[in-house]
Amino acid sequence: VHDNATDATRDVTLPGGKVVKVRGLTRYELLMTGKGTEDVALIERRNVALCMVEPKMTEAQVEKWQKSSRPDSLGEVTRAIRDLSGLGEGAAKSDVAEVRD
């Protein structure tokens, strides 16, 4: 069975009208983005950098966005990533264990 989580994408319209495209996380990516940290801002940066299809963004670019944007702007993007990853509200409880070094 091959379930490629990176195939499905969603266009997200930001409050300023710009449209970006995101994809969901694979299970491996989900486990790795939280590895070695409990810093939710870092995890968000990792997730967005991995899942932003258009435009592509680095973690540094996402950090700049975090520091300069309203919460709803980046929030719409992260909600779309969660939904495409099967982690949105209403999704079945995840069996993902917390990963630690």
Coordinates of all heavy atoms in Angstrom, one line a residue:
V1 N 0.9 -1.2 0.0 CA 0.0 0.0 0.0 C 0.9 1.2 0.0 O 1.8 1.3 0.8 CB -0.9 0.0 1.2 CG1 -1.7 1.3 1.3 CG2 -1.8 -1.2 1.2
H2 N 0.6 2.2 -0.9 CA 1.4 3.4 -1.0 C 0.5 4.6 -0.8 O -0.4 4.8 -1.7 CB 2.1 3.4 -2.3 CG 3.1 4.6 -2.4 ND1 2.8 5.8 -3.0 CD2 4.4 4.7 -2.0 CE1 3.8 6.6 -2.9 NE2 4.8 6.0 -2.3
D3 N 0.6 5.3 0.3 CA -0.3 6.5 0.5 C 0.6 7.7 0.6 O 1.2 8.0 1.6 CB -1.0 6.3 1.9 CG -1.8 7.4 2.3 OD1 -2.2 8.2 1.4 OD2 -2.1 7.6 3.5
N4 N 0.8 8.4 -0.5 CA 1.7 9.5 -0.6 C 1.0 10.8 -0.1 O 0.2 11.4 -0.8 CB 2.2 9.7 -2.0 CG 3.4 10.6 -2.1 OD1 3.7 11.3 -1.1 ND2 4.0 10.6 -3.2
A5 N 1.3 11.2 1.1 CA 0.7 12.4 1.8 C 1.1 13.6 1.1 O 0.5 14.7 1.3 CB 1.1 12.4 3.2
T6 N 2.2 13.6 0.3 CA 2.6 14.8 -0.4 C 1.9 15.1 -1.7 O 2.1 16.1 -2.3 CB 4.2 14.8 -0.6 OG1 4.4 13.7 -1.5 CG2 4.9 14.6 0.7
D7 N 1.0 14.2 -2.2 CA 0.3 14.4 -3.4 C -0.8 15.4 -3.3 O -1.0 16.2 -4.2 CB -0.3 13.1 -3.9 CG 0.8 12.2 -4.5 OD1 1.9 12.6 -4.8 OD2 0.5 11.0 -4.6
A8 N -1.5 15.4 -2.2 CA -2.6 16.3 -2.1 C -2.1 17.7 -1.7 O -1.3 17.8 -0.8 CB -3.6 15.8 -1.0
T9 N -2.6 18.7 -2.3 CA -2.2 20.1 -2.0 C -3.5 20.9 -1.8 O -4.6 20.5 -2.2 CB -1.4 20.8 -3.1 OG1 -2.1 20.8 -4.3 CG2 -0.1 20.0 -3.3
R10 N -3.3 22.1 -1.2 CA -4.4 23.0 -1.0 C -3.9 24.5 -1.2 O -2.8 24.8 -0.7 CB -5.0 22.9 0.4 CG -6.2 23.9 0.6 CD -6.8 23.7 2.0 NE -7.3 22.4 2.2 CZ -7.7 21.8 3.4 NH1 -7.5 22.6 4.5 NH2 -8.1 20.6 3.4
D11 N -4.7 25.3 -1.9 CA -4.4 26.7 -2.0 C -5.0 27.4 -0.8 O -6.1 27.1 -0.4 CB -5.1 27.3 -3.3 CG -4.4 26.8 -4.6 OD1 -3.2 26.3 -4.5 OD2 -5.0 27.0 -5.6
V12 N -4.2 28.3 -0.2 CA -4.6 29.0 1.0 C -4.5 30.5 0.6 O -3.5 31.0 0.2 CB -3.7 28.7 2.2 CG1 -4.1 29.5 3.4 CG2 -3.7 27.2 2.5
T13 N -5.6 31.2 0.8 CA -5.6 32.6 0.5 C -5.3 33.4 1.8 O -6.1 33.2 2.8 CB -7.0 33.1 0.0 OG1 -7.3 32.3 -1.2 CG2 -7.0 34.6 -0.4
L14 N -4.3 34.1 1.8 CA -3.8 34.9 3.0 C -4.7 36.1 3.1 O -5.3 36.6 2.1 CB -2.4 35.2 2.9 CG -1.4 34.0 2.7 CD1 0.0 34.5 2.5 CD2 -1.5 33.1 3.8
P15 N -4.8 36.7 4.3 CA -5.6 37.9 4.5 C -5.3 39.0 3.5 O -6.2 39.8 3.2 CB -5.2 38.3 6.0 CG -4.9 37.1 6.7 CD -4.2 36.3 5.6
G16 N -4.1 39.2 3.0 CA -3.8 40.2 2.1 C -4.2 39.9 0.6 O -4.0 40.7 -0.3
G17 N -4.7 38.7 0.4 CA -5.2 38.3 -0.9 C -4.2 37.4 -1.6 O -4.5 36.8 -2.7
K18 N -2.9 37.2 -1.2 CA -2.0 36.4 -1.8 C -2.4 34.9 -1.6 O -2.9 34.5 -0.6 CB -0.6 36.6 -1.3 CG 0.5 35.8 -1.9 CD 1.9 36.1 -1.5 CE 2.9 35.2 -2.2 NZ 4.2 35.5 -2.0
V19 N -2.2 34.1 -2.6 CA -2.5 32.7 -2.5 C -1.2 31.9 -2.5 O -0.3 32.1 -3.3 CB -3.4 32.2 -3.8 CG1 -3.6 30.7 -3.7 CG2 -4.7 33.0 -3.8
V20 N -1.1 30.9 -1.5 CA 0.0 30.0 -1.4 C -0.5 28.6 -1.5 O -1.7 28.4 -1.3 CB 0.8 30.2 -0.1 CG1 1.4 31.6 0.0 CG2 -0.1 29.9 1.1
K21 N 0.4 27.6 -1.8 CA 0.0 26.2 -2.0 C 0.8 25.4 -0.9 O 2.0 25.6 -0.8 CB 0.3 25.7 -3.4 CG -0.2 24.3 -3.6 CD 0.1 23.8 -5.0 CE -0.6 24.7 -6.1 NZ -1.9 24.3 -6.5
V22 N 0.1 24.6 -0.2 CA 0.7 23.7 0.8 C 0.3 22.3 0.6 O -0.7 22.0 -0.1 CB 0.3 24.1 2.2 CG1 0.8 25.6 2.5 CG2 -1.2 24.0 2.5
R23 N 1.1 21.4 1.2 CA 0.8 19.9 1.2 C 0.8 19.4 2.6 O 1.2 20.2 3.5 CB 1.8 19.2 0.4 CG 3.2 19.3 1.0 CD 4.2 18.3 0.3 NE 5.5 18.4 0.8 CZ 6.0 17.7 1.9 NH1 5.2 17.0 2.6 NH2 7.3 17.8 2.3
G24 N 0.4 18.2 2.8 CA 0.4 17.6 4.1 C 1.8 17.0 4.5 O 2.7 16.9 3.6
L25 N 2.0 16.8 5.8 CA 3.2 16.1 6.2 C 3.1 14.6 6.1 O 2.0 14.0 6.3 CB 3.4 16.4 7.7 CG 3.8 17.8 8.2 CD1 3.4 18.0 9.6 CD2 5.2 18.0 7.9
T26 N 4.2 13.9 5.8 CA 4.2 12.5 5.9 C 4.4 12.1 7.4 O 4.7 13.0 8.2 CB 5.4 11.9 5.1 OG1 6.6 12.3 5.7 CG2 5.4 12.3 3.6
R27 N 4.1 10.9 7.7 CA 4.3 10.5 9.1 C 5.7 10.7 9.6 O 6.0 11.2 10.6 CB 3.9 9.0 9.3 CG 4.1 8.5 10.7 CD 3.5 7.1 10.9 NE 3.7 6.7 12.2 CZ 3.0 6.9 13.3 NH1 1.9 7.7 13.1 NH2 3.2 6.5 14.5
Y28 N 6.7 10.3 8.7 CA 8.1 10.5 9.0 C 8.4 12.0 9.3 O 9.1 12.3 10.3 CB 9.0 10.0 7.9 CG 10.4 10.2 8.2 CD1 11.1 9.3 9.0 CD2 11.2 11.2 7.6 CE1 12.5 9.4 9.3 CE2 12.5 11.4 7.9 CZ 13.2 10.5 8.7 OH 14.5 10.6 9.0
E29 N 7.9 12.9 8.4 CA 8.1 14.3 8.6 C 7.5 14.8 9.9 O 8.1 15.6 10.7 CB 7.6 15.1 7.5 CG 8.3 15.0 6.2 CD 7.6 15.5 5.0 OE1 6.4 15.7 5.0 OE2 8.3 15.9 4.0
L30 N 6.3 14.3 10.2 CA 5.7 14.7 11.5 C 6.5 14.3 12.7 O 6.7 15.1 13.6 CB 4.3 14.0 11.6 CG 3.5 14.3 12.8 CD1 3.1 15.7 13.0 CD2 2.3 13.4 12.9
L31 N 7.1 13.1 12.7 CA 7.9 12.7 13.8 C 9.2 13.5 13.9 O 9.7 13.9 14.9 CB 8.3 11.2 13.6 CG 7.1 10.2 13.7 CD1 7.5 8.8 13.3 CD2 6.5 10.2 15.1
M32 N 9.8 13.8 12.7 CA 11.1 14.5 12.7 C 11.0 16.0 13.0 O 11.9 16.5 13.6 CB 11.8 14.3 11.3 CG 12.2 12.9 11.0 SD 13.5 12.3 12.2 CE 12.5 11.2 13.2
T33 N 9.9 16.6 12.7 CA 9.8 18.1 12.9 C 9.7 18.4 14.4 O 10.1 19.5 14.8 CB 8.6 18.7 12.2 OG1 7.4 18.1 12.6 CG2 8.7 18.7 10.7
G34 N 9.3 17.4 15.2 CA 9.3 17.6 16.7 C 10.5 17.1 17.4 O 10.6 17.3 18.6
K35 N 11.4 16.4 16.7 CA 12.5 15.8 17.3 C 13.5 16.8 17.9 O 13.9 17.7 17.2 CB 13.2 14.8 16.3 CG 14.3 14.0 16.9 CD 14.8 13.0 16.0 CE 15.8 12.1 16.7 NZ 16.1 10.9 15.9
G36 N 13.9 16.6 19.1 CA 14.9 17.4 19.7 C 14.5 18.8 20.2 O 15.3 19.6 20.6
T37 N 13.2 19.0 20.2 CA 12.7 20.3 20.6 C 11.3 20.2 21.2 O 10.5 19.4 20.8 CB 12.8 21.4 19.5 OG1 12.5 22.6 20.1 CG2 11.8 21.1 18.4
E38 N 11.0 21.1 22.1 CA 9.6 21.4 22.5 C 9.2 22.8 22.1 O 8.1 23.2 22.5 CB 9.5 21.1 24.0 CG 9.7 19.7 24.4 CD 9.5 19.4 25.9 OE1 8.8 20.3 26.6 OE2 9.9 18.4 26.4
D39 N 10.0 23.5 21.4 CA 9.7 24.8 20.9 C 8.7 24.8 19.8 O 9.0 24.4 18.7 CB 11.1 25.4 20.4 CG 10.9 26.9 19.9 OD1 9.8 27.3 19.7 OD2 12.0 27.5 19.7
V40 N 7.5 25.2 20.1 CA 6.4 25.1 19.1 C 6.6 26.0 17.9 O 6.2 25.7 16.8 CB 5.0 25.4 19.7 CG1 4.6 24.3 20.7 CG2 5.0 26.8 20.4
A41 N 7.3 27.2 18.1 CA 7.6 28.0 17.0 C 8.6 27.4 16.0 O 8.5 27.5 14.8 CB 8.2 29.4 17.5
L42 N 9.6 26.6 16.5 CA 10.5 25.9 15.7 C 9.8 24.8 15.0 O 10.0 24.6 13.8 CB 11.7 25.3 16.5 CG 12.7 24.4 15.8 CD1 13.3 25.2 14.6 CD2 13.7 23.9 16.7
I43 N 8.9 24.1 15.6 CA 8.2 23.0 15.0 C 7.3 23.6 13.9 O 7.3 23.0 12.8 CB 7.3 22.2 16.0 CG1 8.3 21.5 17.0 CG2 6.4 21.3 15.3 CD1 7.6 20.9 18.2
E44 N 6.7 24.7 14.1 CA 5.9 25.4 13.1 C 6.7 25.8 11.9 O 6.4 25.5 10.7 CB 5.2 26.6 13.7 CG 4.3 27.3 12.6 CD 3.6 28.5 13.2 OE1 4.3 29.5 13.5 OE2 2.4 28.5 13.3
R45 N 7.9 26.3 12.2 CA 8.8 26.7 11.1 C 9.2 25.5 10.2 O 9.2 25.5 9.0 CB 10.1 27.4 11.6 CG 9.9 28.8 12.1 CD 11.2 29.5 12.3 NE 12.0 29.0 13.3 CZ 11.9 29.2 14.6 NH1 11.0 30.0 15.1 NH2 12.8 28.7 15.5
R46 N 9.6 24.4 10.9 CA 9.9 23.2 10.2 C 8.8 22.7 9.3 O 9.0 22.3 8.2 CB 10.4 22.1 11.2 CG 11.7 22.4 11.9 CD 11.9 21.4 13.0 NE 13.3 21.5 13.6 CZ 13.7 20.8 14.6 NH1 12.9 19.9 15.1 NH2 14.9 21.0 15.1
N47 N 7.6 22.7 9.9 CA 6.4 22.2 9.2 C 6.1 23.0 7.9 O 5.9 22.5 6.9 CB 5.2 22.2 10.1 CG 5.2 21.1 11.1 OD1 6.0 20.1 11.1 ND2 4.3 21.2 12.1
V48 N 6.1 24.3 8.1 CA 5.8 25.2 7.0 C 6.9 25.1 5.9 O 6.6 25.1 4.7 CB 5.6 26.7 7.5 CG1 5.4 27.6 6.3 CG2 4.3 26.7 8.4
A49 N 8.1 25.1 6.3 CA 9.2 25.0 5.4 C 9.1 23.7 4.5 O 9.4 23.7 3.3 CB 10.6 25.1 6.1
L50 N 8.8 22.6 5.2 CA 8.6 21.4 4.5 C 7.4 21.3 3.6 O 7.4 20.8 2.5 CB 8.5 20.2 5.5 CG 9.7 19.7 6.1 CD1 9.4 18.7 7.3 CD2 10.6 18.9 5.1
C51 N 6.3 21.9 4.0 CA 5.0 21.8 3.3 C 4.6 22.9 2.4 O 3.6 22.8 1.7 CB 3.9 21.5 4.4 SG 4.2 20.0 5.2
M52 N 5.3 24.0 2.4 CA 5.0 25.1 1.5 C 5.5 24.7 0.1 O 6.7 24.5 -0.2 CB 5.7 26.4 1.9 CG 5.3 27.6 1.1 SD 3.6 28.2 1.4 CE 3.9 29.0 2.9
V53 N 4.5 24.5 -0.8 CA 4.8 24.1 -2.2 C 5.1 25.3 -3.1 O 6.1 25.3 -3.8 CB 3.7 23.2 -2.8 CG1 3.9 22.9 -4.2 CG2 3.4 22.0 -1.9
E54 N 4.3 26.3 -3.0 CA 4.4 27.5 -3.7 C 4.1 28.7 -2.8 O 2.9 28.7 -2.4 CB 3.5 27.5 -5.0 CG 3.9 26.5 -6.0 CD 3.0 26.5 -7.2 OE1 2.2 27.4 -7.3 OE2 3.0 25.5 -7.9
P55 N 4.9 29.6 -2.6 CA 6.4 29.6 -2.9 C 7.1 28.7 -1.9 O 6.7 28.5 -0.8 CB 6.8 31.1 -2.7 CG 5.9 31.6 -1.6 CD 4.6 30.8 -1.9
K56 N 8.2 28.2 -2.3 CA 9.1 27.4 -1.4 C 9.7 28.4 -0.4 O 10.0 29.5 -0.7 CB 10.2 26.7 -2.2 CG 9.8 25.6 -3.1 CD 9.1 24.5 -2.3 CE 10.0 23.2 -2.3 NZ 9.3 22.2 -1.5
M57 N 9.8 27.9 0.9 CA 10.3 28.8 1.9 C 11.3 28.0 2.7 O 11.1 26.8 3.0 CB 9.2 29.3 2.8 CG 8.2 30.2 2.1 SD 7.0 30.9 3.2 CE 8.0 32.2 4.0
T58 N 12.4 28.7 3.2 CA 13.3 28.1 4.1 C 12.8 28.4 5.6 O 11.9 29.2 5.8 CB 14.7 28.8 4.0 OG1 14.6 30.2 4.4 CG2 15.2 28.7 2.6
E59 N 13.4 27.7 6.5 CA 13.0 27.9 7.9 C 13.3 29.4 8.3 O 12.5 30.0 9.1 CB 13.8 27.0 8.9 CG 13.2 25.6 8.9 CD 13.9 24.7 9.9 OE1 14.3 25.1 11.0 OE2 14.2 23.5 9.5
A60 N 14.4 29.9 7.8 CA 14.7 31.4 8.1 C 13.6 32.3 7.6 O 13.2 33.3 8.2 CB 16.1 31.7 7.6
Q61 N 13.1 32.0 6.4 CA 12.1 32.8 5.8 C 10.8 32.7 6.6 O 10.1 33.7 6.8 CB 11.8 32.4 4.3 CG 13.0 32.8 3.4 CD 12.8 32.2 2.0 OE1 12.5 31.1 1.9 NE2 13.2 33.0 1.0
V62 N 10.5 31.5 7.0 CA 9.3 31.3 7.8 C 9.4 32.0 9.2 O 8.4 32.6 9.7 CB 9.0 29.7 8.1 CG1 7.8 29.5 9.0 CG2 8.8 29.0 6.7
E63 N 10.6 32.0 9.8 CA 10.8 32.7 11.0 C 10.5 34.2 10.9 O 9.9 34.8 11.7 CB 12.2 32.4 11.6 CG 12.5 33.1 12.9 CD 13.8 32.8 13.5 OE1 14.7 32.4 12.7 OE2 13.9 32.9 14.7
K64 N 11.0 34.7 9.8 CA 10.8 36.2 9.5 C 9.3 36.4 9.4 O 8.8 37.4 9.9 CB 11.5 36.5 8.2 CG 11.4 38.0 7.9 CD 12.3 38.4 6.6 CE 12.1 39.8 6.3 NZ 12.8 40.2 5.1
W65 N 8.6 35.5 8.7 CA 7.1 35.6 8.6 C 6.5 35.5 9.9 O 5.6 36.3 10.3 CB 6.6 34.5 7.6 CG 5.2 34.6 7.2 CD1 4.3 35.6 7.4 CD2 4.5 33.6 6.5 NE1 3.1 35.3 6.9 CE2 3.2 34.1 6.3 CE3 4.8 32.3 6.0 CZ2 2.2 33.4 5.6 CZ3 3.8 31.6 5.3 CH2 2.5 32.1 5.1
Q66 N 6.9 34.6 10.8 CA 6.3 34.5 12.1 C 6.5 35.8 12.9 O 5.6 36.2 13.6 CB 7.1 33.4 12.9 CG 6.7 32.0 12.6 CD 7.6 31.0 13.3 OE1 8.8 31.2 13.5 NE2 6.9 29.9 13.8
K67 N 7.6 36.4 12.8 CA 7.9 37.6 13.5 C 7.2 38.9 13.0 O 7.0 39.8 13.7 CB 9.4 37.9 13.5 CG 10.2 36.9 14.4 CD 11.7 37.1 14.3 CE 12.4 36.1 15.2 NZ 13.9 36.4 15.2
S68 N 6.8 38.8 11.7 CA 6.2 40.1 11.1 C 4.7 40.0 10.8 O 4.1 41.0 10.4 CB 7.0 40.4 9.9 OG 6.8 39.4 8.9
S69 N 4.1 38.8 10.9 CA 2.7 38.7 10.5 C 1.7 38.6 11.6 O 2.1 38.3 12.7 CB 2.6 37.4 9.6 OG 2.6 36.2 10.4
R70 N 0.5 38.8 11.2 CA -0.6 38.6 12.2 C -0.8 37.1 12.4 O -0.5 36.4 11.5 CB -1.9 39.2 11.6 CG -1.8 40.7 11.4 CD -3.1 41.3 10.9 NE -4.0 40.4 10.3 CZ -5.0 40.7 9.4 NH1 -5.1 41.9 9.0 NH2 -5.8 39.8 8.9
P71 N -1.3 36.7 13.5 CA -1.5 35.3 13.8 C -2.4 34.6 12.8 O -2.2 33.4 12.4 CB -2.1 35.2 15.2 CG -1.7 36.5 15.8 CD -1.6 37.5 14.7
D72 N -3.4 35.3 12.2 CA -4.3 34.6 11.3 C -3.7 34.3 10.0 O -4.0 33.3 9.3 CB -5.6 35.4 11.1 CG -5.4 36.8 10.5 OD1 -4.2 37.3 10.6 OD2 -6.4 37.4 10.0
S73 N -2.7 35.0 9.6 CA -2.0 34.8 8.3 C -1.3 33.5 8.2 O -1.6 32.6 7.4 CB -1.0 35.9 8.0 OG -0.3 35.7 6.8
L74 N -0.3 33.2 9.1 CA 0.4 32.0 9.2 C -0.5 30.9 9.7 O -0.4 29.7 9.4 CB 1.6 32.1 10.0 CG 2.7 31.0 9.9 CD1 3.0 30.7 8.5 CD2 3.9 31.4 10.7
G75 N -1.5 31.3 10.6 CA -2.4 30.3 11.1 C -3.2 29.6 10.1 O -3.5 28.4 10.2
E76 N -3.7 30.3 9.1 CA -4.4 29.6 8.0 C -3.6 28.6 7.3 O -4.0 27.5 6.9 CB -4.9 30.7 6.9 CG -6.0 31.6 7.4 CD -7.3 30.8 7.8 OE1 -7.7 29.9 7.0 OE2 -7.9 31.0 8.8
V77 N -2.3 28.9 7.1 CA -1.4 28.0 6.4 C -1.2 26.7 7.3 O -1.3 25.6 6.8 CB 0.0 28.7 6.1 CG1 1.0 27.7 5.6 CG2 -0.2 29.8 5.1
T78 N -0.9 26.9 8.6 CA -0.7 25.8 9.5 C -1.9 24.9 9.6 O -1.8 23.7 9.7 CB -0.1 26.2 10.8 OG1 -1.0 27.1 11.5 CG2 1.2 26.9 10.7
R79 N -3.1 25.5 9.6 CA -4.4 24.8 9.7 C -4.5 23.9 8.4 O -4.9 22.7 8.5 CB -5.6 25.7 9.9 CG -5.9 26.0 11.3 CD -7.2 26.7 11.5 NE -7.1 28.1 11.0 CZ -6.5 29.1 11.6 NH1 -5.9 28.9 12.7 NH2 -6.6 30.3 11.0
A80 N -4.2 24.4 7.3 CA -4.3 23.7 6.0 C -3.3 22.5 6.1 O -3.7 21.4 5.7 CB -4.1 24.6 4.8
I81 N -2.1 22.7 6.6 CA -1.1 21.6 6.6 C -1.6 20.6 7.6 O -1.6 19.4 7.3 CB 0.3 22.2 7.1 CG1 0.9 23.1 6.0 CG2 1.2 21.0 7.5 CD1 2.1 23.9 6.4
R82 N -2.2 20.9 8.7 CA -2.7 20.0 9.7 C -3.8 19.2 9.1 O -3.9 17.9 9.2 CB -3.2 20.7 10.9 CG -2.2 20.9 12.0 CD -2.8 21.2 13.4 NE -3.9 22.1 13.3 CZ -3.8 23.4 13.5 NH1 -2.7 24.0 13.7 NH2 -4.9 24.2 13.5
D83 N -4.7 19.8 8.4 CA -5.9 19.2 7.7 C -5.4 18.2 6.7 O -5.9 17.0 6.6 CB -6.8 20.2 7.1 CG -7.6 21.0 8.1 OD1 -7.6 20.7 9.3 OD2 -8.2 22.0 7.7
L84 N -4.5 18.6 5.8 CA -4.0 17.7 4.8 C -3.2 16.6 5.4 O -3.0 15.5 4.7 CB -3.1 18.5 3.8 CG -3.9 19.5 2.9 CD1 -2.9 20.4 2.2 CD2 -4.7 18.7 1.8
S85 N -2.7 16.7 6.6 CA -1.9 15.7 7.2 C -2.8 14.7 8.1 O -2.3 13.8 8.7 CB -0.8 16.3 8.2 OG 0.0 17.2 7.5
G86 N -4.1 15.0 8.0 CA -5.0 14.2 8.8 C -5.0 14.5 10.3 O -5.4 13.7 11.1
L87 N -4.6 15.7 10.7 CA -4.4 16.1 12.1 C -5.4 17.2 12.5 O -5.3 17.7 13.6 CB -3.0 16.5 12.4 CG -1.9 15.5 12.0 CD1 -0.5 16.1 12.1 CD2 -2.0 14.3 12.9
G88 N -6.3 17.6 11.6 CA -7.1 18.7 11.9 C -8.2 18.4 12.9 O -8.3 17.2 13.3
E89 N -8.9 19.4 13.4 CA -10.0 19.2 14.3 C -11.0 18.1 13.8 O -11.3 18.2 12.6 CB -10.7 20.5 14.6 CG -9.9 21.4 15.5 CD -10.8 22.5 16.1 OE1 -12.0 22.4 16.3 OE2 -10.2 23.6 16.2
G90 N -11.4 17.2 14.6 CA -12.3 16.2 14.2 C -11.6 15.0 13.7 O -12.2 13.9 13.5
A91 N -10.3 15.0 13.5 CA -9.6 13.9 13.0 C -9.4 12.9 14.2 O -9.5 13.3 15.4 CB -8.2 14.3 12.6
A92 N -9.3 11.6 13.9 CA -9.2 10.6 14.9 C -7.9 10.9 15.7 O -6.9 11.4 15.1 CB -9.1 9.2 14.3
K93 N -7.9 10.5 17.0 CA -6.7 10.8 17.8 C -5.5 10.1 17.1 O -5.5 9.0 16.6 CB -6.8 10.2 19.2 CG -7.7 11.0 20.1 CD -6.8 12.1 20.6 CE -7.6 12.9 21.7 NZ -6.9 14.0 22.1
S94 N -4.4 10.8 17.0 CA -3.2 10.3 16.4 C -2.5 9.3 17.3 O -2.5 9.4 18.5 CB -2.2 11.5 16.2 OG -1.0 11.0 15.7
D95 N -1.9 8.3 16.7 CA -1.1 7.3 17.5 C 0.4 7.6 17.4 O 1.2 6.8 17.8 CB -1.4 5.9 16.9 CG -0.9 5.7 15.5 OD1 -0.6 6.7 14.8 OD2 -0.8 4.6 15.1
V96 N 0.7 8.9 17.1 CA 2.1 9.3 17.0 C 2.6 9.5 18.4 O 2.1 10.3 19.2 CB 2.2 10.7 16.3 CG1 3.6 11.1 16.3 CG2 1.7 10.5 14.8
A97 N 3.7 8.8 18.7 CA 4.3 8.9 20.0 C 5.2 10.1 20.0 O 5.8 10.5 19.0 CB 5.1 7.7 20.3
E98 N 5.4 10.7 21.1 CA 6.3 11.8 21.2 C 7.8 11.3 21.0 O 8.2 10.3 21.6 CB 6.2 12.5 22.6 CG 6.9 13.8 22.7 CD 6.6 14.6 23.9 OE1 5.4 14.5 24.4 OE2 7.4 15.3 24.4
V99 N 8.5 12.0 20.1 CA 9.8 11.6 19.8 C 10.9 12.4 20.6 O 10.8 13.6 20.6 CB 10.1 11.7 18.3 CG1 11.5 11.3 17.9 CG2 9.1 10.9 17.5
R100 N 11.8 11.7 21.2 CA 12.8 12.4 22.0 C 14.2 11.8 21.6 O 14.3 10.7 21.2 CB 12.6 12.2 23.5 CG 11.3 12.8 24.0 CD 11.6 13.6 25.2 NE 10.3 14.1 25.7 CZ 9.9 15.3 25.6 NH1 10.6 16.2 25.0 NH2 8.8 15.7 26.1
D101 N 15.2 12.6 21.7 CA 16.6 12.2 21.5 C 17.0 11.2 22.6 O 16.6 11.4 23.7 CB 17.6 13.3 21.4 CG 17.5 14.0 20.0 OD1 17.3 13.3 19.0 OD2 17.5 15.3 20.1

